[in-house]
Structure formats: structure tokens, C-alpha cells
């Protein structure tokens, strides 16, 4: 069935603010103040002095920190100008962020985490004083357990990669408890699973075996049979993979792992399209993780702080990081008496503001709303795929003619062969239209890749606009390629050469380092 022909969307004019704003250290005026800090109460200065005197000489300052000295208005202008020079999920149609699942983060939740009831809490307070936040975390654990089908959940980790590290740490502890840690030294993953699975397994000391897809793009079960065996500690896979393809034989993969005594770990960073439809435990997985800052509507925060959720079967529950929250006689306590626990993997017991945001998101939607999230995300993705594949030069390798789940890894290879314009160059030019665009993580198995993931947050009109921008850039690649090669034109940044990024001798990641390297 063909889609209805929609009116051609207008491509809006975009010109990014450009302020030539100096580094804040360059704007300092000695003696200028924005806030007069109160003097310490009697006795405090002496106490602090006594504490500082016990520090090793190498840790004590010889002179005051050279902080910027500016009035409040100048500070406000500085950061407002910088904010105008950015793109972001609340500013542009951010479906081009690839596998990051950028979605609307309800602003009402910011009021919830900004209240003094949460903001004034300290993680070292006695549990008797923080029963409210412990209640929220305890209930969020149960909600994630229901969504995943798992037995127990930990919300300690502060992002997806640390959650995956926690998965492999629990897998290793499980095999150590069974006396098989030395013999089970291999982990199996797939090329289109998130690279953090292979990276954390390698960091934990495992040999990593990476499987490639079959001709249709599905993880190859025969390839798995050829490498799995008594040395396998676990399979660690993402499903749907970063191509948007769901492995329909995932239960068979899990059963194969269990048949040789290995565990099965499910990376659910791409769970936005399967919420309320299928669950990790339904396929027999032993452990899984979610990114709360992706799937459950909490902000990414420019790369942090995120929040991870680790869910495990009953067999792996003893190995969860600690302390865990238990409910005893109607009150919550922190249980650290867990001899098989892998210990602490992050400070305290989670990124509390993001846990409140995620819990609010779940409660606001309810079971039917959460399922609707997945259904709309899948609808949006397949609608956008139809529009993208109508652009000459764009393709979606693998699973040709089949639907995808919540994202697609496309290819501009045909356009590249015709024009010489690369996917990276198209992404830079897309920023001139106020659009973000991501290619792919390495390795570039899909040639000239670009990865789009529309979530449930976007309307048909917004998806049409995004597709129209890419169609316009593809037209430019054929007719005026120098416009693309010299981009960006409407942005705050200029075209940079990779030599600047590839040579550590040219890096200066702090103001002081910049001064030492270029002005000393």
C-alpha cells in the first residue's frame, strides 16, 4: 500500500547565531564581582585551616585559583550567547542522533527534580531521613522488572556503558562462584550490537568473538553454532540491532548459550520500539540493561549524567551491585551484607534526579501508554524510511523490502559513487538547515552510512521536513557539490581538517593548557 502524497514541506531558512564569544577567562576584570560571598562563621575558618594543614604539600594551593572575575550580567550574557550557538533536542528535529534515542523529556519533570524535597537531599543522610527517595527508587526497580520480565533490578549505574560493564562483571562473578571463571574466557557479540558490549568484555579480560550478519542482515545462527562452546562465558547482543533489524531467532540464540552453560546478556539500548510488546526474560535472557536517559524520557544532558538500569534473573540476583534497597517492616533499608555482590559500581545508589524523571515518565504513561510509545516509534521509523528511500542515491542495506523497528542504518553509497560526496560531508551540510545528523559508529560495515532514529516524539510534518532537507542536500551533491564541500555556511563553526583532531600535539583541552602551549 502506497503512502498518501503529502504536500512538499517547506525547508525553513536557518542562520545560527554567531557571537565570536571569547573564552570566559579572557573576559575577566580583576576585582569585578557578581556575588559577595558571606564570611564564614566564627570558628569555621580555623577548623578548615586545621584540616587543610594536614594535606600533603603537593595538594595545597600556594595561591588562589585564577577564576574569572565578572559581574552577573556579563556572566548571563556569556552563557546565553553560547546557548544560542548550539543545536539540541529541544531546538531542532533531532532524529539524526543515530542510536541515542533522542526524545522529548517532559518539562514538568524538571519541576519535580527541582523541588527542595529532592535537591536538598544528601546521599550520605541516614536512611531514616530519605525514605521518600528510597520509595521512588524501590518502586522504579519494580517497574523496570515488570517491563523487562526480570526478577530484580539495580539502578546504580550512571549510563549505558557502565551498565554494560556491570552486566559483564556480574557474569564473571557468576562463573567465579561456579568455579568456571578460568575456563570460560570468551564472549560472543555481533557486529551491529553496541560496541560497548565488546569493549567492556575486552576490558574485563575476555576474548571477544564478533559475528557478522547473514546476507539478509540477520545475526547468523549457524555462525553462532560454530563458535559457541565450553569456553563461552556469555553472548552479549543488542536486539533490535543498530540497523533497526530485530533478530526473530533471538530465543534460539539464548537457548544455544544455555545449552553450553553460558549466560545471555541483552543490551536494550534500542528498546524504544519494543516496550510493552516483548520482554528480555520472555526470550530467556539472564541479564539486561536499559538506558533510562534514552528509553524512559530523561535528558541526555550533553553526554551526562545519564542513568542505567540493570535487570537480572533470580540466579544472578546475588551478584547485583550493592547496597540494595530492601523493605523491612514498612521502611526502607540499605543492605550491604551481600557476600557475592560485585560491590559498588557508582557513587551511592543512582543518579537520583534521572531516576525521578524516569519514574514520573512511567507513571504518566502507564502500561498502555508505554506500549503506544513503541508502536508510534515503529510507525514513525517506517514512515521516515519510505520517505528516505524515495531520495535518489539513498538505500537501506540488508533486509531489503522488510520493515525495521525503531531506527535504520542507511547508506549514501550510490550517491557517493555518482558525485564523490561523502556521508560525513552531507552531515556537515545538514547542520546549515538546523538539523543534526550522525553517520555510524565504527566499523563502517554499511558503506557511507547515516543512522536515523525517529522516536514517538516527532510528528509526520517534522519527519517530512527532515526528509526534505536530506533530499535538498542530495540534489546539491549532484548540481552544486562545492556548496557541500565548503559547508557549513550558516553555522557558528568553520570547516576543520582532521589533522587538527588526529595530532595530540595540537590539542589543548583546558584554558591553562592552551596558554602554556601557544603563549608561553
Amino acid at each position: 500500500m502506497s503512502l498518501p502524497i503529502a504536500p512538499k514541506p517547506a525547508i525553513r531558512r536557518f542562520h545560527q547565531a554567531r557571537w565570536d564569544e571569547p573564552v570566559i577567562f579572557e573576559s575577566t576584570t580583576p576585582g569585578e564581582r557578581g556575588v559577595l560571598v558571606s564570611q564564614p562563621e566564627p570558628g569555621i575558618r580555623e577548623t578548615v585551616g586545621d584540616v587543610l594543614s594536614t594535606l600533603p604539600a603537593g595538594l595545597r594551593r600556594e595561591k588562589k585559583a585564577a577564576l574569572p572575575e565578572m559581574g552577573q550580567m556579563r556572566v548571563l550574557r556569556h552563557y546565553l550567547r553560547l546557548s544560542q550557538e548550539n543545536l539540541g533536542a529541544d531546538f531542532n528535529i533531532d532524529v539524526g542522533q543515530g542510536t541515542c534515542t533522542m526524545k522529548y523529556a517532559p518539562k514538568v519533570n524538571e519541576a519535580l527534580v527541582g523541588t527542595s524535597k529532592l535537591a536538598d537531599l544528601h546521599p550520605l543522610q541516614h536512611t531514616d531521613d530519605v525514605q521518600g527517595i528510597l520509595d521512588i527508587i524501590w518502586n522504579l526497580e519494580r517497574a523496570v522488572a515488570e517491563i523487562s520480565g526480570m526478577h530484580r533490578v539495580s539502578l546504580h549505574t550512571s549510563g549505558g556503558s557502565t551498565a554494560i560493564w556491570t552486566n559483564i562483571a556480574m557474569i564473571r562473578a557468576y562463573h567465579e562462584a561456579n568455579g568456571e571463571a578460568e575456563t570460560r574466557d570468551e564472549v560472543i557479540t555481533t557486529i551491529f550490537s553496541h560496541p560497548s558490549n565488546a569493549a567492556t568484555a575486552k576490558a574485563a579480560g575476555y576474548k571477544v568473538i564478533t559475528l557478522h550478519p547473514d546476507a539478509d542482515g540477520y545475526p547468523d545462527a549457524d555462525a553462532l553454532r560454530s563458535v559457541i562452546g565450553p569456553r563461552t562465558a556469555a553472548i552479549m547482543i543488542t536486539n533490535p540491532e543498530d540497523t533497526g533489524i530485530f533478530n526473530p531467532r533471538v530465543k534460539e540464540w539464548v537457548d544455544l548459550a544455555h545449552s553450553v552453560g553460558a549466560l545471555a546478556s541483552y543490551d536494550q539500548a534500542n528498546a524504544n520500539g519494543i516496550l510493552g510488546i516483548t520482554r528480555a526474560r520472555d526470550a530467556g535472557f539472564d541479564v539486561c540493561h536499559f538506558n533510562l536517559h534514552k528509553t524512559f524520557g530523561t535528558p541526555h544532558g550533553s553526554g551526562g549524567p545519564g542513568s542505567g538500569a540493570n535487570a537480572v534473573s533470580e540466579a544472578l540476583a546475588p551478584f547485583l551491585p550493592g547496597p540494595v534497597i530492601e523493605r523491612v517492616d514498612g521502611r526502607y533499608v540499605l543492605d550491604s551484607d551481600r557476600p557475592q555482590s560485585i560491590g559498588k559500581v557508582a557513587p551511592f545508589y543512582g543518579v537520583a534526579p534521572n531516576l525521578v524523571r524516569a519514574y514520573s515518565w512511567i507513571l504518566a504513561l502507564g502500561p498502555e501508554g508505554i506500549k503506544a510509545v513503541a508502536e508510534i516509534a515503529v510507525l514513525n521509523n517506517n514512515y521516515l524510511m519510505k520517505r528516505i528511500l524515495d531520495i535518489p542515491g539513498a538505500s537501506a542495506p540488508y533486509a531489503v523490502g522488510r520493515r525495521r523497528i525503531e531506527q535504520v542504518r542507511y547508506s549514501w553509497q550510490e550517491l557517493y559513487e555518482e558525485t564523490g560526496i561523502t556521508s560525513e560531508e552531507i552531515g556537515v551540510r545538514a547542520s546549515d538547515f538546523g538539523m543534526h545528523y550522525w553517520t555510524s559508529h565504527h566499523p563502517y560495515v554499511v558503506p557511507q552510512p547515516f543512522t536515523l532514529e525517529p522516536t514517538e516524539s516527532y510528528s509526520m510534518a517534522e519527519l517530512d521536513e527532515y526528509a526534505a532537507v536530506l533530499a535538498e542536500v542530495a540534489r546539491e551533491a549532484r548540481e552544486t557539490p562545492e556548496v557541500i564541500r565548503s559547508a557549513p555556511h550558516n553555522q557558528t563553526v568553520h570547516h576543520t581538517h582532521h589533522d587538527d583532531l588526529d595530532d595530540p600535539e595540537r590539542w589543548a583541552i583546558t584554558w591553562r593548557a592552551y596558554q602554556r602551549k601557544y603563549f608561553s
Side-chain angles (χ1 to χ4, degrees):
M1 183 179 70
S2 61
L3 291 170
I5 299 176
K8 183 178 180 180
I11 299 176
R12 70 189 71 202
R13 295 180 62 190
F14 174 80
H15 293 281
Q16 185 82 26
R18 183 180 298 172
W19 283 100
D20 294 331
E21 185 69 9
V23 175
I24 195 168
F25 287 93
E26 294 180 293
S27 300
T28 187
T29 300
E32 189 171 318
R33 293 288 184 271
V35 177
L36 295 177
V37 180
S38 301
Q39 293 299 307
E41 299 174 9
I44 297 295
R45 186 184 298 276
E46 292 76 11
T47 302
V48 171
D50 291 340
V51 172
L52 293 178
S53 67
T54 64
L55 291 174
L59 297 180
R60 295 200 298 267
R61 287 188 178 276
E62 296 181 359
K63 55 184 179 181
K64 292 182 179 180
L67 299 176
E69 299 178 60
M70 299 174 66
Q72 286 190 28
M73 282 297 294
R74 292 212 297 145
V75 172
L76 180 65
R77 293 191 191 105
H78 174 76
Y79 286 105
L80 283 176
R81 288 166 180 165
L82 293 182
S83 73
Q84 291 173 355
E85 295 184 317
N86 281 293
L87 295 178
D90 290 341
F91 182 81
N92 62 300
I93 304 169
D94 216 16
V95 304
Q97 189 66 15
T99 65
C100 287
T101 318
M102 303 298 288
K103 60 203 292 182
Y104 179 68
K107 299 303 174 274
V108 66
N109 292 346
E110 300 310 304
L112 297 177
V113 300
T115 174
S116 62
K117 295 178 180 179
L118 178 64
D120 292 346
L121 291 181
H122 192 284
L124 291 179
Q125 285 180 245
H126 194 279
T127 53
D128 288 345
D129 299 330
V130 291
Q131 289 292 298
I133 188 62
L134 294 180
D135 179 71
I136 289 174
I137 297 174
W138 191 84
N139 280 290
L140 177 57
E141 288 176 355
R142 269 95 204 128
V144 174
E146 178 64 25
I147 291 169
S148 64
M150 291 295 192
H151 174 71
R152 196 73 192 262
V153 174
S154 168
L155 300 170
H156 277 239
T157 55
S158 52
S161 293
T162 52
I164 300 173
W165 168 259
T166 300
N167 285 347
I168 194 64
M170 289 188 288
I171 288 168
R172 182 172 56 187
Y174 173 87
H175 290 307
E176 286 175 348
N178 292 334
E180 294 187 305
E182 297 299 321
T183 57
R184 295 192 178 274
D185 58 358
E186 296 177 351
V187 166
I188 300 171
T189 188
T190 66
I191 195 67
F192 288 125
S193 291
H194 276 135
S196 292
N197 291 279
T200 56
K202 184 70 174 179
Y206 288 99
K207 174 186 176 183
V208 178
I209 299 172
T210 303
L211 303 181
H212 286 250
D214 63 21
D216 293 323
Y218 294 99
D220 195 323
D222 290 335
L224 175 63
R225 290 190 186 91
S226 70
V227 296
I228 201 165
R231 303 199 72 88
T232 307
I235 60 171
M236 300 182 73
I237 57 176
T238 306
N239 193 39
E241 293 192 310
D242 286 354
T243 55
I245 296 173
F246 186 89
N247 179 5
R249 301 172 69 178
V250 63
K251 181 69 165 61
E252 181 181 341
W253 277 55
V254 173
D255 290 344
L256 278 171
H258 290 163
S259 71
V260 298
L263 297 176
S265 177
Y266 196 166
D267 179 335
Q268 295 203 107
N270 297 341
N272 203 61
I274 60 175
L275 292 173
I277 297 171
T278 185
R279 305 188 304 174
R281 192 58 182 162
D282 295 341
F285 280 93
D286 304 287
V287 57
C288 71
H289 91 276
F290 294 95
N291 295 9
L292 300 184
H293 56 288
K294 292 174 66 170
T295 308
F296 294 97
T298 80
H300 277 62
S302 299
S307 193
N310 294 86
V312 298
S313 65
E314 189 171 2
L316 266 68
F319 306 99
L320 281 171
V324 300
I325 300 173
E326 300 286 4
R327 194 172 185 177
V328 179
D329 297 330
R331 297 188 65 76
Y332 298 101
V333 298
L334 297 180
D335 180 12
S336 299
D337 185 18
R338 301 174 60 82
Q340 291 185 299
S341 169
I342 62 171
K344 296 184 73 67
V345 294
F348 311 113
Y349 35 89
V351 182
N354 274 352
L355 300 183
V356 171
R357 292 183 179 105
Y359 186 50
S360 302
W361 189 83
I362 291 171
L363 290 183
L365 288 168
E368 292 304 315
I370 289 174
K371 184 178 180 182
V373 163
E375 293 171 339
I376 297 171
V378 173
L379 175 65
N380 278 353
N381 186 51
N382 286 280
Y383 175 80
L384 181 63
M385 181 169 69
K386 175 64 172 64
R387 294 300 187 214
I388 296 297
L389 295 183
D390 284 342
I391 302 173
S395 64
Y398 302 118
V400 176
R402 296 179 181 268
R403 304 289 186 228
R404 304 295 174 96
I405 303 297
E406 64 0 310
Q407 65 182 279
V408 181
R409 184 151 298 165
Y410 300 93
S411 174
W412 286 120
Q413 181 65 16
E414 295 173 22
L415 185 70
Y416 170 71
E417 292 173 356
E418 180 183 346
T419 67
I421 295 295
T422 66
S423 179
E424 184 175 353
E425 289 173 319
I426 291 173
V428 172
R429 177 58 174 155
S431 70
D432 278 334
F433 297 89
M435 302 294 186
H436 190 277
Y437 173 106
W438 186 68
T439 52
S440 165
H441 53 61
H442 289 278
Y444 275 19
V445 179
V446 171
Q448 298 301 324
F450 63 109
T451 308
L452 308 181
E453 185 185 14
T455 66
E456 76 283 359
S457 299
Y458 296 99
S459 68
M460 180 185 293
E462 290 172 318
L463 300 180
D464 285 340
E465 182 180 353
Y466 195 94
V469 166
L470 293 187
E472 173 66 12
V473 177
R475 182 195 64 77
E476 292 177 340
R478 293 183 173 88
E479 299 178 7
T480 55
E482 281 308 311
V483 170
I484 297 178
R485 291 194 176 101
S486 56
H489 304 285
N490 303 333
Q491 272 290 347
T492 61
V493 295
H494 56 78
H495 197 88
T496 59
H497 198 280
H498 269 287
D499 288 350
D500 295 321
L501 304 177
D502 296 338
D503 182 5
E505 292 300 318
R506 303 173 74 172
W507 297 352
I509 59 175
T510 68
W511 173 244
R512 283 188 292 179
Y514 178 73
Q515 287 182 307
R516 285 198 305 269
K517 184 164 287 189
Y518 293 102
F519 294 102
S520 61

